[in-house]
Amino acid sequence: MISKNNKTPSNSDNVIICKNVTKDYPLYSTFGQKLKGLLSNKSKIASFRALDDISLTLKKGECVGLIGLNGSGKSTLASIITGITTPSSGSVRVKGEVSMLCAASGMRTQLSGIDNIRFKCLTMGYTDKQIKGMEKEIIEFADIGMHIHQPVKTYSSGMRSRLGFAIAIHIDPDILIIDEALAVGDSSFTDKCLKKIDEFKASGKTIIFVSHGVTAMTTFCDRIIWINRGKLVGIGTPAEIVNPYCGFAREYATMSNEQQKKIMPDLKEYQKKYGIT
Amino acid sequence: MGILESIATVMVELWENRRRLFRLSVYDLKNQHGGTVLGFLWNFLNPAFQVLVYWFVFAIGLRQGGDVDGVSYVVWLTAGIVCWTYTNGAMVGSDMSIIGFADVLKRMRFPIAIVPAKVVVSNFITHIVSMAVVFLVIFITGTPIGTNVWLLPYYIFANTFFVLGYSLLASSITVLFRDFHNISNTVFRFLFFISPVMWMPPEDDQLLCTIMKFNPFAYILNGYRDALFYDWSLADNLETGLIFWAIAIAFFIAGCVLHMRLRNKFIDTL
């Protein structure tokens, strides 16, 4: 079970505590199976294990990277921490409000940019007065000019990510999860975001970067979590993780499909092979 | 999760998020007709035109403007159409509500119970304004108001409670079984004709009178009119009233239980 806003944790600095988190996605093939699986808690339907026994603790004010190849379970873990979905077993404890920003932006494309700002703030529970105040700052930060009054479906991917980031950071969550969302912005906007992220960090808030690439992570993540096929490979400083991960990713690309499905990297082995910077 | 715990969880969630629920309902009303010139006004123009069409077809065309127990048919029909528009609108709108809100539910933690409830609330707001139109019609035509008009809020509450329970149930069923949306639409079209929206069953027709007794919509439709035009009290409809509340409470309990049972699985299924 997830318990949010718990005021009496064992350690006041820990904002996210995951214990043995496992997530299974049932693979229904018939309607009968779906019905059985959804209505009873003890059905034996073939399932896909997206996360397998993940335990980790994140502290207040930390900036953490979450890396792994495609399909390693990064986004599932991010969803569980956000509280969108629940683990099949294990426990998650999160202190404070979480906001997740996705590359797929999660915006209503038929609405204008400004209406998306209002809608997002409304779903978060803000009052009209608060929204009026936030609107101005968000529009200023997104800096997409007159396009703010046009439907989001007419936006370029860069404009969408600008607006998405501007909304996510101004909602002022305690924990911000950025899922591949900065990849499409140009360098001047990325710099602006990174500056804002620094401010965010300085005010004692926690950030999680989710990505399969490590370029941005090395510069400002305190720690990096590496997962592969739903299992935790290792947690460490960027220096301890980045080289072994990049080495593994290169090796992985040359493997056959059979090998790719089976491989579970050992952190120590890859650290020896590719070194710690 | 037990039955009582499910009911309590849903009710607490609705209460704690009542402001967010209200603001989202108003937002929905404003945006339902986004892109149209008249916008928000369509929420009231649609039922008004509907009354006008029925009035034209039935009062002028077919029935030649007779009356029902001393009340002009047009006025009687207006009350029925306004009541049915609320019930039907909330019920038809709610079954796809969770599926339609999937984009938000997949991006953030959200109190899911308010998703079907907001369909009920936005229809409720329209309904209250439409009721003002009913009173306007009553005054213009000089129809005398019933002695038990204070029962009207009770019938509006009963109507709302009924559709709220249904909306929780239907929105959960549709996630499991999407065909429910199409099936229920057909059923509602049929229910419109076996409910006393446009006509009253002749009192000597045994079959129709039995259907009316067990039809929750008949209780509500008759209730609105009893309160507005006639002198019937609650005691006169006691038996139908008890049947109505049994059905309404059963829907509400089933809605809460199914909603809570599925809620953690909604996101993975949507």
Side-chain angles (χ1 to χ4, degrees):
Chain A
M1 284 307 288
I2 292 195
S3 59
K4 301 259 174 189
N5 302 316
N6 198 323
K7 293 252 157 52
T8 52
S10 50
N11 185 337
S12 64
D13 270 356
N14 295 339
V15 285
I16 299 169
I17 304 166
C18 295
K19 266 192 198 142
N20 312 103
V21 168
T22 296
K23 178 75 183 177
D24 292 318
Y25 284 107
L27 304 167
Y28 307 122
S29 48
T30 62
F31 176 69
Q33 278 188 348
K34 184 180 168 189
L35 208 62
K36 229 191 267 171
L38 286 170
L39 290 176
S40 92
N41 293 322
K42 287 174 248 150
S43 57
K44 290 178 212 130
I45 287 163
S47 60
F48 169 72
R49 181 150 288 191
L51 288 177
D52 192 355
D53 199 25
I54 302 258
S55 296
L56 45 92
T57 305
L58 302 191
K59 287 187 172 17
K60 196 167 182 257
E62 247 189 328
C63 183
V64 180
L66 180 56
I67 55 170
L69 302 169
N70 285 341
S72 55
K74 303 179 298 280
S75 296
T76 305
L77 186 56
S79 300
I80 287 178
I81 291 172
T82 316
I84 294 168
T85 182
T86 49
S88 311
S89 68
S91 72
V92 182
R93 183 186 272 178
V94 177
K95 266 204 298 175
E97 197 68 45
V98 190
S99 167
M100 183 160 79
L101 174 61
C102 302
S105 83
M107 276 187 271
R108 299 206 151 172
T109 54
Q110 76 284 8
L111 296 181
S112 71
I114 199 155
D115 284 338
N116 265 290
I117 298 174
R118 285 181 193 146
F119 181 64
K120 179 74 189 174
C121 293
L122 268 176
T123 57
M124 296 290 298
Y126 287 103
T127 64
D128 291 338
K129 217 181 200 171
Q130 287 169 316
I131 294 172
K132 272 261 148 57
M134 294 159 75
E135 223 173 71
K136 230 177 119 188
E137 283 177 54
I138 295 173
I139 293 171
E140 213 170 71
F141 190 89
D143 192 25
I144 53 174
M146 290 310 289
H147 292 286
I148 199 79
H149 298 290
Q150 299 303 313
V152 168
K153 63 186 171 197
T154 65
Y155 285 21
S156 69
S157 55
M159 274 150 65
R160 279 184 204 204
S161 90
R162 278 163 174 256
L163 183 61
F165 183 84
I167 296 174
I169 199 126
H170 284 90
I171 278 167
D172 202 30
D174 303 296
I175 299 158
L176 179 65
I177 301 179
I178 302 173
D179 190 347
E180 306 275 9
L182 291 184
V184 278
D186 61 18
S187 62
S188 76
F189 187 70
T190 310
D191 286 347
K192 196 170 162 187
C193 292
L194 296 184
K195 222 176 112 196
K196 194 82 188 169
I197 287 169
D198 270 339
E199 274 174 42
F200 197 76
K201 235 173 101 177
S203 60
K205 296 182 170 182
T206 309
I207 300 162
I208 303 174
F209 270 98
V210 182
S211 183
H212 54 80
V214 286
T215 28
M217 288 192 185
T218 26
T219 47
F220 54 87
C221 283
D222 305 310
R223 288 197 296 162
I224 292 186
I225 301 163
W226 175 11
I227 59 175
N228 190 62
R229 285 198 296 122
K231 291 197 178 82
L232 194 66
V233 179
I235 305 179
T237 61
E240 288 166 335
I241 304 282
V242 168
N243 274 358
Y245 170 74
C246 291
F248 169 72
R250 277 195 302 273
E251 276 184 24
Y252 186 84
T254 63
M255 287 177 200
S256 70
N257 276 350
E258 281 306 300
Q259 281 174 303
Q260 287 185 341
K261 268 179 204 150
K262 279 189 202 138
I263 184 103
M264 189 63 213
D266 176 66
L267 182 63
K268 290 239 169 68
E269 184 196 320
Y270 278 87
Q271 279 180 339
K272 229 179 256 168
K273 212 161 163 187
Y274 292 97
I276 300 170
T277 40
Chain B
M1 194 178 270
I3 291 175
L4 286 178
E5 201 186 343
S6 300
I7 297 170
T9 313
V10 169
M11 295 204 349
V12 166
E13 192 166 289
L14 290 178
W15 177 250
E16 279 180 346
N17 291 290
R18 61 194 181 278
R19 292 199 181 84
R20 177 159 24 170
L21 169 59
F22 182 74
R23 286 193 291 263
L24 280 169
S25 306
V26 173
Y27 175 89
D28 276 356
L29 279 181
K30 282 185 191 158
N31 282 274
Q32 237 160 37
H33 302 283
T36 59
V37 178
L38 294 176
F40 198 61
L41 270 178
W42 277 114
N43 291 302
F44 311 110
L45 290 177
N46 276 341
F49 284 139
Q50 200 186 352
V51 169
L52 220 61
V53 168
Y54 283 120
W55 178 75
F56 183 78
V57 173
F58 292 99
I60 296 179
L62 296 177
R63 209 175 154 132
Q64 317 270 305
D67 49 280
V68 184
D69 293 332
V71 176
S72 141
Y73 181 68
V74 186
V75 183
W76 187 87
L77 179 69
T78 308
I81 295 275
V82 165
C83 172
W84 176 258
T85 305
Y86 174 38
T87 316
N88 186 54
M91 289 171 84
V92 169
S94 62
D95 55 14
M96 291 292 278
S97 60
I98 290 181
I99 292 174
F101 215 61
D103 59 338
V104 173
L105 300 179
K106 279 183 174 174
R107 299 273 175 252
M108 63 183 285
R109 196 162 61 93
F110 194 84
I112 304 183
I114 73 175
V115 177
K118 79 184 169 60
V119 179
V120 176
V121 174
S122 53
N123 277 284
F124 177 80
I125 297 169
T126 321
H127 182 57
I128 294 304
V129 179
S130 305
M131 280 313 289
V133 176
V134 173
F135 278 101
L136 195 71
V137 171
I138 288 175
F139 285 120
I140 289 174
T141 54
T143 312
I145 288 216
T147 46
N148 288 322
V149 73
W150 53 271
L151 277 176
L152 190 62
Y154 157 77
Y155 284 112
I156 294 177
F157 170 77
N159 200 356
T160 308
F161 181 81
F162 183 87
V163 292
L164 180 66
Y166 174 85
S167 72
L168 282 164
L169 185 64
S171 59
S172 304
I173 292 176
T174 318
V175 175
L176 274 180
F177 178 58
R178 267 179 210 227
D179 312 41
F180 183 81
H181 175 66
N182 305 59
I183 295 170
S184 67
N185 268 350
T186 312
V187 170
F188 284 135
R189 237 167 266 149
F190 176 64
L191 278 174
F192 176 76
F193 290 102
I194 60 160
S195 300
V197 184
M198 299 191 304
W199 56 280
M200 275 305 272
E203 265 160 46
D204 50 4
D205 192 318
Q206 210 56 44
L207 176 69
L208 280 175
C209 285
T210 316
I211 291 177
M212 292 304 152
K213 204 177 194 178
F214 289 93
N215 179 351
F217 307 108
Y219 177 69
I220 298 207
L221 284 159
N222 289 333
Y224 271 58
R225 284 159 178 156
D226 287 351
L228 282 169
F229 311 125
Y230 309 116
D231 329 311
W232 302 94
S233 73
L234 278 184
D236 296 319
N237 293 325
L238 196 60
E239 200 189 349
T240 5
L242 290 177
I243 293 172
F244 167 82
W245 280 106
I247 297 173
I249 290 171
F251 268 165
F252 187 74
I253 293 174
C256 290
V257 170
L258 193 66
H259 179 88
M260 289 315 295
R261 173 147 275 218
L262 294 180
R263 97 162 351 170
N264 287 338
K265 297 170 180 168
F266 277 148
I267 309 303
D268 303 335
T269 315
L270 287 171

